[in-house]
Every structure is written in structure tokens, then in C-alpha cells.
Amino acid sequence: MDAASPAKPMRHIASAEDMRRLIVDKLIYSVGKDPQNAVRQDWSAALILAVRDQLVDRWMQSTRKAYREDQKRVYYLSMEFLIGRLLKDTILNLGLEKHVREALASLGRDYEQILRSEPDAALGNGGLGRLAACFLDSMSTLAIPAHGYGIRYENGLFRQSLADGWQTEEPEDWLVTGHNWEFERPEVIYHIPFGGQVVERHDGRRHWQAAEVILAAAYDTPIAGWRGSHVNTLRLWAARPATRIDLASFNRGEYLTAMESAVRAETISRVLYPDDTTDEGKNLRLRQEFFFTSASLQDLLRRFLSDHPDLRQLPDKVAIQLNDTHPAVAVVELMRLLVDEHGMGMDEAYDITRRTLSYTNHTLMPEALERWSLTLFGAVLPRHLELVRWIDEQHLRTAAAAQRSLDLERLRIVDHGNGNGHGVRMGHLAFVGSHRANGVSALHADLMRRTVFHDLDQVYPGRIIGVTNGVTPRRWLHSCNKPLSDLLEETIGEAWIGDLEAIKALEPFADDAAFGERFHAAKRISKERLAAEIEERLGLKVSPDAMFDVQIKRMHEYKRQLLNIMEAVAHYFAIRAEPDRDWTPRLKIFAGKAAPGYQMAKLIIKLINDVARAVNSDPVIGDRLKIAFIPNYNVSLAERIIPAADLSEQISTAGMEASGTGNMKLALNGAITIGTLDGANVEISERVGAQNIHIFGLTAEEIAAHRLAGFDSRAVIEADPILKSVIDAIGSGVFSPEEPGRFRAIVDRLTYDDFFFVTADFAAYLDAQRQVDEGFNDRREWTRRAILNTARVGWFSADRAIRDYAREIWGVDTPPPSAFAEAAE
Ligand code: 26W
């Protein structure tokens, strides 16, 4: 790297005039449009290019610094990065909002409109993908030299629409309008082998004769942190064919055959798998996982070797984080590269691999734990299967030496599969091949030790730790909630943006009535905005005075959207029974996508919409209860709903939600939580105080005990007339007169196999909701509690979580929180 670093960024913006000139320059010379007839899309592209310029100098300086100081690098490998839009976030991170607003105004363009025309980068399903995006923001903010590595899907998570209340899916082709943030790196190409066989070479070394090679092409997106001082790289891989066309077939007129291998290759980065809880075990999924993992490992080894001759130094200079098991093949791919490509011995390679890798688990749901059949794994990755077997032997030897009378069958990486054939357990491989395996909340880490990873925990004590999730305060308060962010800046300054625990300074204002009024007014602005959107998109008129009761997350039975809508039915019946009572007006807002193949989740979406149709059109009810299912939940919609929320629904069956992160975002924006003691709800409750949250329901221990003892929901239903009336109504077609039996499957599940304990927690949930009504009626007290929620969740910053990873797992230094407070002065 040459030393010459520009003193002042070439394209430094010091005024709105500078910004205006640069935007027009980009529009004309990069977008190639005449300002006179440029459309909104063009202006958005020009603005993105102009703002991106502000990143490039800092990006290069950050890269040079990492090389110059030989800093330890962090590599975050994830199949998903749920980024959303980047423009507003980057403008705020660089402190350019004022200049941009004025520049656009002088060009007769509307800032908000331009922001809305940037497509969401929906390269993820839900929690895991969004966490990865928040962590990128924090690693840049903390100036950790880090790379995110993932796949550049051409189609992100599907677009959801509702047809008569049923979910429908359309492809999400976010790239059609161009992704102006990225830089294509045509010189960065890696060969990714697949299939074939392994042969013994004359020198006894193993050689993989692959049947197919696909190319991985790099695309880089700069990731700025708060104040834009440090810029990291998100490198996404696109699949390219080794040969674009098979000329021989083409010349024979077999055009499709001629394109076949090219199509096969490009399919790898075509689309994101829309499942977020079920391991489909599909061939293409395994190819996607190996594709990006191998390209990433080859790339980071090239970077390491560019200024470190000795690979034994790798663990001192590189930390690789596996975001769940999806990149777990990294354990054997790193071994393969070290042994087969760099001639290292197996034991040394294994030791280096473990000291370099660490694994995060995000779910204990059995159906989500990836397990590849031996046939498929061996066919696609024959050399890796050999290495998996070798590691399994070492592992079982270690286990035997631990003399812990453990069931070796349960410990094996390659299990004998009770009757459904041998398989490679990727959770076991990731665990054994790493020096740390972390859960994403305290309860989750505990459950990892007590359930799925119990035996492994016995063999490798201390390897499991908990690092509770966090969210970036830049996007999830400063950027998405201007009314509240401005009020906070006026009241306690802006240190909290760079150091969220500084938001604690708000606590004394909880008892300040005048401040309370302003806090309430800020919430009101966001509620009015959302009410307007609901009216415009759903044609449903809602009152901003009502309590905005929000459940926004992927549709899944363990998240119990069903419990929520059943409470709505009970409440509906109660209001109809006593229409003159002074009911607390409530708007129930649902949003969330169901995996396309998850029929029960899709049926619950339909139930919510059928109940909404009945309730919203019932004259007896009026404004006392309204229900809205807002379609196509994504990052940008979350940024509009969260600031407007009064009540945050976190009601999962205890022991099933690893952490949750929406719970943190909603509490930070002054919503009060109603929830079970599950995931991070436990830690949120501890920090906000039991009076400022509504906890209900069975605990994880109680659920486990009920499972052992056997739980019969019929007894509960018979004993609870309200519950019974709700289930009977749903089952008899009260909400689906055109198809009375439509929800039979739901009623059967509740009656004969209530695996998610909906019936068991129903009564407690109803009571808690009535207490919420009580609380909401006392506006002063509700606002005081809401302020305390905002003031007391600073610890749930992604910056704190990344500091924990840096200290406990990666062994890299980070600047103290105070460094950001000072910068704010
Ligand atoms: C193999 C298919 C598949 C794909 C994605 C299985 C599982 C996943 C993810 C692990 C599911 C996920 O997003 N888990 C969520 O991760 C969040 C971030 O840690 C947690 O806050 C949520 O509790 C957890 O459900």
C-alpha cells in the first residue's frame, strides 16, 4: 500500500452548495441524466453516489491503518445481512443531513421522497440477518478492522402481498434499479470446486479432483459507523460460471445445453432461502453455504499471507465468527486449505482452526439445527467428509478421555441417524471446531448447556458463553425516530448515539411532567404518521389516541401470534357484551412474513385478517378495537412502526426465542413490553424494573416440566369458558362464514397438540392485557414508565455486544465508551 494519504478528502463537503454541486455532477456524469428530465430514481442514484464519495477516503484510510498497524482482523461470516436502506443512515453517520436537505431543496427535490426510492437490501430472513447488519454498524463505530462476508443474492427475501387475507409471494429483485453503494471487484475472483472425488497423490497427500468449478466474484459495500471515522467492508460474493457458454453445444444448435452450466453456476447466488427455522437440507443450500464460505476463507488467507509469511500466526491476527451453522463448513474448509493447499500437518491445522474460529448459535429449535445427509455431503464435498471424519475421531477420543460417561452416539458429529441414515450435524461440527460457542441471551446460553449442547459442554467445559444481542442506536432511534431523537438531544445531549448507556441520563426526567408531555407528543407524531400510512395502504381509519399494540416479527407458532389474535377475539366478544363500558381504545398491529412452505403460519395470517375484517367493520366496536395486518414487513417498515408503538408484544413460548431484538428496539423507542420470561425479555425485565414491564406465563422450566409430565390442553379449554368460546368461534366459522371449516387445523392443534402452550398461557395473558389497559388509561404514569424503558435499555446496544465479542471471543481492543461521549461534546 503506498503511503500517500490525502490530507483533506478529495471530495470534501463543507456546505450545501458543495453537496448540490456534487449531486448534479453525479447525476450528469455517473448516472448520465440531464437534470431537466431526471426522475426520482436518478436523483436517488446521484445522491447515493455523492454520499458514497464521502466514504471512500475514510475507507482507504481505515484499510491502510489496519495494514500499517498490523491490527488483528475480524471476519463475520453470515448467509444473511438484512441491511435495509443505507442512504439516511450513512448521511446521519457522516453528519451531512443539513447539507443534503438544503442541497435537494435548492434542486426542487424532496429529501424524504428521495430516501424512500432506495430499495431495501433484504438479504436476510429476520433476527439473524438483522443482527449481522447491526453488528457491521457497531464494528465500524468501534473502529474494529472487520469484514462482513456473505452472498450477493439477486433476489432477496420475497415481497409479501395479501390476496383476500392470504399471503402471496413475489420475487424481490432489488438489483433491477442498480445497487449504487457497491463496487464490483473484477480482479477478485476465486475458484470454488464441487463434487468429484479425492485421490491419493504419490506423496501420500490427498488431492480433490472436483467435478465442477464455479467462480466467486466480489462486490464491496463500504460500511460507515457513527461519525464515519472508520469504514469497513461488506464483501458479498456473486456466482459466475467458469465458462460462460459451451460453444460446442452452441454450434450444434443446442442453445439451452450451451447455457446449462452457466445457469447452474449463477443459480447459486440467485435467491435467498426464505426459511428461517426449518432446515430443508436442499443440495442448492449446501452449495450456497460452501460457495461463500470457501471464497471468504480463500480471500482472508490471501490478505493474511500478503504481509504474514507464517500461517501459524493466523489465530493471533485473524478471528472468524460463524453466524450460526450456515458457514460451519468453514471448520473443514480451513483445514483443507491449510493441509492440502499450504502443506500443513493435520494436528497443527486443527489447532489453528479451533483457535481462529468461533460459533454463534441462534436457535435451539430441533428442526432448525442443520444436519446434512452423508450421501449429499459426501457427493458435494468428498474431501470435507474425510476431514469431518478425522475431526470426529479426535473429538471422540477427547470425549472418552473426559471420562464423563457420556453417550458417544449423542456426541458424534457424524451421527448414525435413528433410522434416517447417517448425517453430519453442523452444530456439533461448529462447536468442536471452535474455541467459543455463544448463545445470544443469558437464558439461551443456559439452555444450550442444559439441552442441545449438554454433552459437548461436559467435554469442553467453559466453551459455551452468553453474549446477549444488541441493536444499533443509530438506525433504531437516531435515524428512525427523529421526534424522540431531537427531544433526547435537546434534553441530555447526543452522547447516547455513540454510547447508548449514556441514555441513562434521561431517568430523572421520568418524573418531570413537562418532559413527559413532550415525550408523549413525540410518540404522537409517529403514531399519526403510521395511522396515515395504515389508512392509505389498508383503507382502515385508526385513531392515534388508541394504544398501538404491536407484534412485528416472522410468523412462527413459537412466537404465538395465535395467542395474540385469540386475545383480540376474547376482547371483541367482551366489548360486544358490554358496549357501554369505558374500554381502552386499542389498535392491534401485526406484520410479518411466513416461510412460503409453512402452511400453519400462513393460516394464522389468514385468521388475523379474517378476525380483523369482522372487528373493523363491526359498528358496535367503533374505535375501541381495530386490527391491522400490514403487508411486506421489512427493515424500512419496522423503522416506521417501532417509533409509533405503545405496547411491544414479546409473547413466545418460554425457552424458544433465543433472544429477540425487536423487543430491544421497541423498548428503546418508549414502548412498554408485555411478554414471557424468554430470551432477552428476562434481561430487559431486570434492567427496566418489574413495575415497567408486564411479564406473564409459564417459565422455561415450567414448560420443560409440563412437556415431561405431558400437557393435555383439553382440560384447560374445558375449564376456561372464555378460551372455549374463542376456540369454538374460530372453529365454527364465525370469522369465516364463507368457509366455516377454514381454521379446523388451528383448532385441532390447540385441542390435541398444543405444543406451544397457547392454551396454558391464555388466561394469564388476558389478565396481563387488562392490566395494560389500566396502565394506559393513566397517561402520566404510562409515560413515566415508557421514559424509564428508554432510559434503562442502553445496555442492549450492539456496541456493548460487540465489545463483549471483542473481549471474550476475538481478543481485539475497542475504544472505551467515554471516547464517544467526549466526541459528542
Ligand atoms: C436452516 C434454516 C434457518 C435459517 C435461519 C434456520 C435458522 C435460522 C436463524 C437462526 C433463525 C433466526 O433468525 N434466529 C433468531 O436470531 C436472532 C438473532 O440472534 C434472535 O434474536 C432470535 O431469537 C432468533 O429466533
Side-chain angles (χ1 to χ4, degrees):
M1 292 292 271
D2 59 56
S5 59
K8 197 156 125 339
M10 242 91 72
R11 293 200 165 95
H12 179 62
I13 300 292
S15 68
E17 180 46 31
D18 286 353
M19 182 51 89
R20 193 187 70 76
R21 206 172 319 109
L22 186 54
I23 293 171
V24 173
D25 178 277
K26 292 293 177 188
L27 184 71
I28 297 172
Y29 298 105
S30 304
V31 182
K33 280 292 183 76
D34 178 335
Q36 279 176 8
N37 44 33
V39 296
R40 189 185 307 160
Q41 204 57 50
D42 303 325
W43 287 104
S44 163
L47 179 56
I48 289 173
L49 294 170
V51 171
R52 187 183 71 170
D53 275 10
Q54 307 314 302
L55 293 177
V56 174
D57 298 296
R58 301 147 196 255
W59 196 9
M60 293 181 180
Q61 281 157 14
S62 306
T63 306
R64 287 179 184 167
K65 182 167 180 284
Y67 276 105
R68 193 174 52 247
E69 297 173 10
D70 192 19
Q71 294 174 308
K72 183 168 187 179
R73 311 307 191 100
V74 171
Y75 294 103
Y76 200 85
L77 270 59
S78 179
M79 275 283 267
E80 306 184 16
F81 288 96
L82 196 39
I83 296 166
R85 293 173 174 144
L86 278 173
L87 188 48
K88 186 176 184 185
D89 208 54
T90 310
I91 288 171
L92 289 170
N93 269 335
L94 297 178
L96 289 173
E97 188 179 25
K98 188 168 160 305
H99 294 335
V100 170
R101 276 182 184 280
E102 283 173 25
L104 289 175
S106 72
L107 291 160
R109 315 302 326 180
D110 174 71
Y111 177 61
E112 302 293 344
Q113 267 189 2
I114 298 273
L115 292 179
R116 272 204 299 279
S117 53
E118 179 189 2
D120 264 46
L123 306 181
N125 277 285
L128 171 143
R130 183 56 233 176
L131 185 83
C134 282
F135 280 2
L136 289 181
D137 175 288
S138 287
M139 291 191 279
S140 291
T141 297
L142 298 177
I144 295 174
H147 279 69
Y149 277 124
I151 296 180
R152 182 180 181 268
Y153 302 104
E154 279 174 49
N155 294 101
L157 187 61
F158 63 85
R159 187 183 301 281
Q160 176 197 55
S161 321
L162 294 174
D164 181 28
W166 292 100
Q167 169 178 300
T168 60
E169 303 94 20
E170 283 105 42
E172 212 295 323
D173 41 17
W174 67 298
L175 289 173
V176 281
T177 55
H179 178 44
N180 299 294
W181 290 105
E182 68 182 4
F183 289 88
E184 182 177 1
R185 300 298 192 203
E187 77 286 2
V188 181
I189 297 273
Y190 292 96
H191 290 231
I192 315 300
F194 289 98
Q197 55 177 354
V198 183
V199 297
E200 188 94 357
R201 289 211 297 209
H202 55 81
D203 57 4
R205 289 175 55 189
R206 308 295 291 163
H207 176 61
W208 181 13
Q209 285 178 334
E212 178 190 15
V213 171
I214 287 174
L215 306 183
Y219 289 75
D220 290 351
T221 297
I223 303 290
W226 178 232
R227 298 209 182 288
S229 50
H230 183 94
V231 177
N232 277 328
T233 304
L234 171 59
R235 177 159 280 184
L236 299 178
W237 301 102
R240 297 274 175 272
T243 49
R244 299 196 64 71
I245 183 163
D246 163 8
L247 271 185
S249 318
F250 188 87
N251 297 338
R252 280 197 303 276
E254 296 157 21
Y255 304 124
L256 288 182
T257 322
M259 306 305 291
E260 202 178 299
S261 71
V263 171
R264 221 173 109 73
E266 282 154 5
T267 304
I268 285 189
S269 56
R270 176 85 65 209
V271 64
L272 164 76
Y273 266 89
D275 304 287
D276 75 335
T277 45
T278 313
D279 166 24
E280 296 290 319
K282 294 273 188 328
N283 181 322
L284 176 59
R285 172 82 179 186
L286 177 57
R287 291 158 62 86
Q288 288 185 332
E289 294 185 353
F290 179 67
F291 166 77
F292 99 96
T293 301
S294 177
S296 306
L297 290 175
Q298 294 185 52
D299 191 46
L300 66 90
L301 284 181
R302 177 198 49 74
R303 188 173 297 107
F304 172 81
L305 288 166
S306 71
D307 54 6
H308 302 89
D310 184 350
L311 273 166
R312 282 167 300 180
Q313 237 204 326
L314 192 70
D316 313 325
K317 291 297 176 185
V318 167
I320 300 172
Q321 192 68 34
L322 306 177
N323 201 18
D324 216 279
T325 57
H326 313 153
V329 71
V331 173
V332 278
E333 175 61 357
L334 184 52
M335 289 270 298
R336 180 183 76 90
L337 294 169
L338 294 175
V339 172
D340 297 1
E341 309 285 326
H342 296 278
M344 199 177 273
M346 291 287 271
D347 293 319
E348 187 167 42
Y350 184 32
D351 174 59
I352 285 173
T353 296
R354 270 180 311 178
R355 288 166 44 217
T356 305
L357 297 184
S358 43
Y359 154 58
T360 301
N361 174 278
H362 295 268
T363 179
L364 297 175
M365 309 284 280
E367 67 268 26
L369 299 173
E370 291 190 298
R371 177 185 175 281
W372 294 108
S373 75
L374 225 48
T375 12
L376 175 58
F377 195 88
V380 175
L381 303 169
R383 177 59 177 141
H384 298 80
L385 184 53
E386 292 183 351
L387 294 164
V388 167
R389 289 190 188 289
W390 183 89
I391 291 177
D392 215 3
E393 272 158 43
Q394 315 306 310
H395 161 53
L396 294 175
R397 212 170 291 130
T398 311
Q403 286 157 354
R404 287 291 177 98
S405 66
L406 296 165
D407 169 347
L408 292 191
E409 179 43 36
R410 284 216 312 244
L411 271 167
R412 291 173 189 287
I413 297 170
V414 178
D415 70 9
H416 293 166
N418 36 22
N420 57 6
H422 293 44
V424 182
R425 296 195 272 205
M426 300 310 275
H428 283 53
L429 178 63
F431 190 107
V432 171
S434 294
H435 67 279
R436 279 281 176 282
N438 76 283
V440 289
S441 73
L443 175 61
H444 177 57
D446 206 30
L447 289 172
M448 281 174 72
R449 294 188 193 92
R450 281 195 276 134
T451 62
V452 176
F453 295 98
H454 177 265
D455 301 338
L456 288 166
D457 183 49
Q458 298 295 306
V459 178
Y460 307 98
R463 190 170 290 187
I464 295 178
I465 64 169
V467 179
T468 300
N469 282 162
V471 299
T472 167
R474 272 72 67 183
R475 182 178 294 267
W476 296 111
L477 183 44
H478 183 44
S479 173
C480 74
N481 193 342
K482 190 166 175 38
L484 180 54
S485 177
D486 291 351
L487 177 59
L488 293 182
E489 285 177 56
E490 242 178 76
T491 311
I492 61 169
E494 61 165 32
W496 57 272
I497 306 174
D499 167 22
L500 192 56
E501 304 215 42
I503 204 167
K504 196 120 186 100
L506 197 65
E507 187 139 352
F509 292 89
D511 303 310
D512 172 331
F515 177 81
E517 274 313 302
R518 300 183 64 198
F519 189 92
H520 181 85
K523 175 70 72 181
R524 173 85 187 197
I525 293 169
S526 301
K527 292 175 73 172
E528 285 167 357
R529 270 205 202 121
L530 185 58
E533 174 167 354
I534 289 172
E535 182 161 7
E536 190 211 325
R537 292 180 60 186
L538 309 186
L540 178 68
K541 200 156 183 28
V542 298
S543 157
D545 296 324
M547 177 203 312
F548 279 25
D549 166 358
V550 168
Q551 185 168 23
I552 48 176
K553 52 189 73 222
R554 285 295 295 252
M555 296 299 296
H556 199 288
E557 289 167 276
Y558 85 80
K559 294 174 186 283
R560 300 203 294 190
Q561 283 92 351
L562 179 58
L563 178 59
N564 189 338
I565 196 65
M566 287 170 65
E567 190 276 333
V569 170
H571 198 47
Y572 171 52
F573 289 163
I575 297 172
R576 283 185 61 83
E578 299 179 80
D580 306 330
R581 232 173 92 184
D582 167 23
W583 297 98
T584 306
R586 192 188 280 236
L587 165 64
K588 274 190 181 276
I589 297 173
F590 292 87
K593 293 173 179 176
Y598 192 175
Q599 294 315 321
M600 184 59 89
K602 294 176 111 169
L603 191 56
I604 292 168
I605 291 177
K606 178 57 176 165
L607 174 63
I608 293 168
N609 285 304
D610 278 2
V611 172
R613 180 183 55 190
V615 171
N616 296 342
S617 59
D618 187 327
V620 175
I621 303 299
D623 268 352
R624 270 84 66 85
L625 179 60
K626 288 273 186 260
I627 301 170
F629 189 104
I630 307 178
N632 203 37
Y633 180 58
N634 61 16
V635 172
S636 293
L637 179 54
E639 290 176 25
R640 299 195 298 274
I641 295 176
I642 289 170
D646 296 304
L647 186 68
S648 161
E649 299 271 356
Q650 309 299 333
I651 61 175
S652 53
T653 310
M656 293 188 152
E657 188 70 86
S659 164
T661 44
N663 46 7
M664 300 164 184
K665 296 162 189 168
L666 286 153
L668 182 60
N669 282 271
I672 293 180
T673 301
I674 182 167
T676 51
L677 284 176
D678 195 15
N681 295 354
V682 175
E683 292 153 271
I684 291 174
S685 176
E686 286 159 1
R687 287 179 184 270
V688 301
Q691 316 75 27
N692 304 310
I693 189 168
H694 294 267
I695 294 294
F696 74 94
L698 297 170
T699 63
E701 286 70 28
E702 289 164 335
I703 295 272
H706 272 295
R707 277 206 202 290
L708 278 183
F711 170 64
D712 178 4
S713 58
R714 273 165 299 182
V716 175
I717 297 168
E718 285 317 314
D720 181 336
I722 298 178
L723 174 57
K724 189 163 181 351
S725 68
V726 167
I727 294 177
D728 291 350
I730 292 172
S732 62
V734 169
F735 300 103
S736 57
E738 69 280 11
E739 187 192 349
R742 173 176 295 153
F743 302 115
R744 164 70 35 214
I746 290 177
V747 169
D748 289 350
R749 174 67 53 92
L750 290 169
T751 312
Y752 305 109
D753 173 21
D754 184 13
F755 185 83
F756 300 99
F757 292 83
V758 171
T759 55
D761 276 343
F762 184 77
Y765 180 54
L766 251 65
D767 291 351
Q769 287 288 19
R770 297 296 74 80
Q771 279 156 34
V772 165
D773 281 341
E774 294 293 305
F776 192 73
N777 295 339
D778 178 344
R779 183 164 123 177
R780 265 292 301 276
E781 180 55 15
W782 183 272
T783 302
R784 192 183 74 79
R785 296 164 67 212
I787 294 168
L788 290 176
N789 269 271
T790 298
R792 293 176 176 174
V793 293
W795 186 80
F796 296 99
S797 167
D799 301 348
R800 183 272 314 151
I802 289 295
R803 278 202 178 84
D804 291 349
Y805 277 93
R807 191 184 52 253
E808 307 288 337
I809 300 178
W810 301 335
V812 298
D813 304 331
T814 56
S818 55
F820 296 88
E822 277 120 42
E825 255 112 52

